[in-house]
């Protein structure tokens, strides 16, 4: 099927499926965002009490990642992924029915379970399963589309909250992807074995491996080898830094409404402008990685995070800087976690056993997000300002570049001396 040159490779159908998965998860992502201020006000609680929901989601994801990695590689994707997406949508739908913050924690568990099989672990694994060439481009397309959906649903959620209330908004939003996205994913998301074709670029990659090492097998260390190598832990630190740093921009809407005193609508616009920058960045970041390498991608992220977070800090004294700062932040932001982190890990450990290794790394990535997301909100509770959080974001992306360069240099040296043995 995919071997006939006159037909589009099925891998691009998989990209469409992944785009629709992001369409669905983008709805669930706004389950906090614009909802924080009205829910906190109605319940009479602190910001960190509600945003603990996100920490619970991350913790549940972390626990399930080893299981999810095995399931995604061995079971039918057309059953596993849609089921997980449905659970996420159900968790969000129920948020409109709660009268206590503890109900949100229950939904956090449900969304966390679903997210383990659909988001930060699943997307790189599915793309890597189908693309041996243009991996960064394919992943970047998916993430850019996901960010575009984030813009749409941020605006829609803000309007729904204002016009019909936050409870009704929670009930309406999950129905959109349930009707528009899940049917296609259920019928088209498959593994290469199910379709009967090879991954995109597989032949070219094998020819390159044969030319370099005399073996047609892709290079890569085993899981046992990887976890005895310092370069793996340095790559892991890169991922952890992106996990922490990319959590900070999630507070943009809250920052705008609670620190700058803007309306919910303007707060949603600020968050949407951040997403506009992310849309522009996702595809570009993938192309940069494919053409210039992961060091260039990491440098890109650090530069724009410093520009964006610095601008947000300055906007505390000059609110006119809010919108351009949000746009610049989008060129780093979550793209570095969803696109750059898996590409760094894949480059350092090689392709052969990447899926198994990435599933383990994602445990730490998700756990650190669970531990730091609520405390980031606590910075505002304690100081009355998000300035400290913005400084944290800049520091994390700078550290990621430093650790990443060291890890990549070590990997290159290791490969030169061990390639034929691995």
């Amino acid at each position: 099927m995919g071997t006939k040159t006159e037909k589009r490779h099925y891998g691009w159908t998989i990209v469409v499926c992944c785009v629709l998965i992001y369409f669905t998860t983008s709805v669930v992502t706004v389950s906090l965002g614009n909802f924080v201020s009205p829910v906190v006000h109605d319940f009479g609680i602190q910001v960190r009490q509600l945003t603990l929901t996100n920490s619970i989601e991350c913790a549940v994801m972390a626990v399930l990642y080893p299981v999810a990695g095995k399931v995604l590689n061995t079971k039918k994707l057309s059953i596993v992924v849609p089921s997980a997406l449905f659970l996420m949508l159900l968790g969000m739908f129920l948020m409109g029915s709660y009268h206590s913050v503890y109900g949100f924690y229950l939904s956090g568990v449900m969304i966390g379970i679903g997210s383990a099989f659909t988001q930060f672990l699943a997307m790189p694994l599915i793309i890597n399963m189908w693309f041996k060439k243009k991996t960064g481009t394919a992943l970047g397309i998916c993430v850019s589309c996901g960010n575009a959906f984030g813009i749409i649903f941020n605006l829609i959620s803000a309007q729904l909250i204002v016009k019909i209330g936050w409870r009704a908004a929670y009930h309406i939003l999950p129905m959109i992807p349930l009707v528009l996205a899940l049917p296609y994913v259920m019928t088209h998301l498959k593994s290469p074995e199910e379709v009967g074709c090879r991954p995109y670029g597989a032949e070219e990659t094998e020819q390159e491996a044969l030319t370099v090492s005399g073996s047609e097998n892709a290079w890569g260390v085993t899981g046992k080898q990887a976890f005895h190598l310092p370069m793996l832990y340095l790559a892991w630190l890169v991922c952890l830094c992106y996990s922490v740093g990319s959590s900070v921009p999630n507070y943009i809407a809250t920052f705008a409404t609670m620190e700058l005193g803007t309306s919910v609508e303007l707060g949603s616009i600020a968050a949407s402008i951040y997403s506009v920058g992310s849309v522009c960045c996702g595809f570009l970041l993938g192309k940069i990685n494919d053409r210039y390498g992961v060091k260039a991608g990491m440098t890109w992220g650090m530069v724009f995070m410093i520009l964006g977070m610095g601008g947000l800090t300055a906007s505390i004294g000059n609110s006119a800087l809010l919108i351009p700062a949000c746009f610049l932040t989008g060129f780093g932001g979550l793209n570095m976690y969803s696109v750059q982190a898996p590409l760094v890990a894949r480059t350092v450990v090689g392709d052969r056993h990447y899926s198994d290794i990435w599933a383990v790394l994602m445990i730490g990535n998700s756990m650190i997000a669970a531990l730091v997301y609520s405390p980031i909100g606590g910075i505002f509770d304690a100081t009355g300002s998000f300035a400290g959080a913005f400084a944290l974001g800049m520091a994390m992306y700078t550290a990621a570049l430093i650790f990443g360069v060291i890890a990549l240099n070590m990997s290159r040296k290791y490969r030169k001396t061990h390639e034929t043995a691995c």
Side-chain angles (χ1 to χ4, degrees), residues 235-247:
W236 204 347
L237 281 174
V238 174
C239 299
L240 296 178
C241 287
Y242 286 142
S243 181
V244 175
S246 64
S247 297

Side-chain angles (χ1 to χ4, degrees), residues 93-345:
F93 181 89
L94 291 175
M95 286 178 171
S97 305
Y98 300 133
H99 295 276
S100 166
V101 72
Y102 298 107
F104 280 80
Y105 299 160
L106 173 61
S107 281
V109 173
M110 297 172 66
I111 293 172
I113 294 171
S115 296
F117 296 86
T118 58
Q119 292 199 79
F120 300 115
L121 172 67
M123 289 299 96
L125 293 190
I126 293 173
I127 293 298
N128 188 65
M129 184 186 298
W130 273 99
F131 286 84
K132 300 308 175 185
K133 285 286 187 179
K134 296 188 177 180
T135 310
T137 299
L139 188 57
I141 290 171
C142 298
V143 172
S144 281
C145 290
N147 291 327
F149 299 140
I151 297 172
I152 296 170
F153 289 119
N154 261 305
L155 296 173
I156 292 175
S157 65
Q159 291 300 313
L160 288 175
I161 291 169
V162 171
K163 295 183 183 301
I164 62 175
W166 63 268
R167 292 187 181 277
Y170 270 133
H171 289 152
I172 291 174
L173 285 169
M175 303 304 296
I176 300 174
L178 184 67
V179 174
L180 298 181
L182 260 64
Y184 188 91
V185 176
M186 290 176 64
T187 54
H188 291 81
L189 184 62
K190 303 177 185 296
S191 67
E193 291 76 17
E194 290 179 275
V195 175
C197 74
R198 306 197 66 195
Y200 183 90
E203 294 82 359
E204 185 179 350
T205 301
E206 289 174 358
Q207 183 59 43
E208 290 176 358
L210 184 63
T211 301
V212 173
S213 64
S215 171
E216 65 178 13
N217 294 321
W219 178 83
V221 297
T222 65
K224 183 177 181 180
Q225 290 170 328
F227 287 96
H228 286 86
L229 297 172
M231 66 186 189
L232 184 278
Y233 293 97
L234 287 168
W236 204 347
L237 281 174
V238 174
C239 299
L240 296 178
C241 287
Y242 286 142
S243 181
V244 175
S246 64
S247 297
V248 176
N250 292 335
Y251 281 92
I252 282 177
T254 308
F255 163 70
T257 56
M258 299 191 73
E259 184 164 355
L260 300 186
T262 67
S263 64
V264 172
E265 291 94 332
L266 185 55
S268 72
I269 290 173
S272 297
I273 292 298
Y274 163 69
S275 296
V276 170
S278 298
V279 171
C280 297
C281 171
F283 178 74
L284 290 173
L285 184 61
K287 295 289 287 186
I288 287 170
N289 277 275
D290 286 341
R291 179 168 295 185
Y292 302 108
V294 292
K295 289 181 183 179
M298 291 187 294
T299 302
W300 170 285
M302 183 198 71
V303 169
F304 281 103
M305 180 58 90
I306 290 175
L307 291 173
M309 293 282 102
L312 287 173
T313 303
S315 73
I316 296 174
N318 182 1
S319 59
L321 297 174
L322 174 64
I323 298 303
C326 290
F327 182 70
L328 291 173
T329 303
F331 278 84
L334 189 60
N335 289 299
M336 301 304 292
Y337 182 69
S338 53
V339 176
Q340 196 64 41
L343 292 178
V344 170

Side-chain angles (χ1 to χ4, degrees), residues 370-390:
L371 292 172
V372 304
Y373 189 79
S374 184
I376 290 173
I379 293 175
F380 175 79
D381 293 331
T383 66
S385 175
F386 280 100
F390 299 150

Side-chain angles (χ1 to χ4, degrees), residues 343-365:
L343 292 178
V344 170
R346 183 190 185 206
T347 303
V348 169
V349 303
D351 188 60
R352 195 192 304 179
H353 301 281
Y354 163 73
S355 295
D356 294 334
I357 296 171
W358 181 243
V360 176
L361 296 188
M362 280 303 301
I363 299 174
N365 298 347

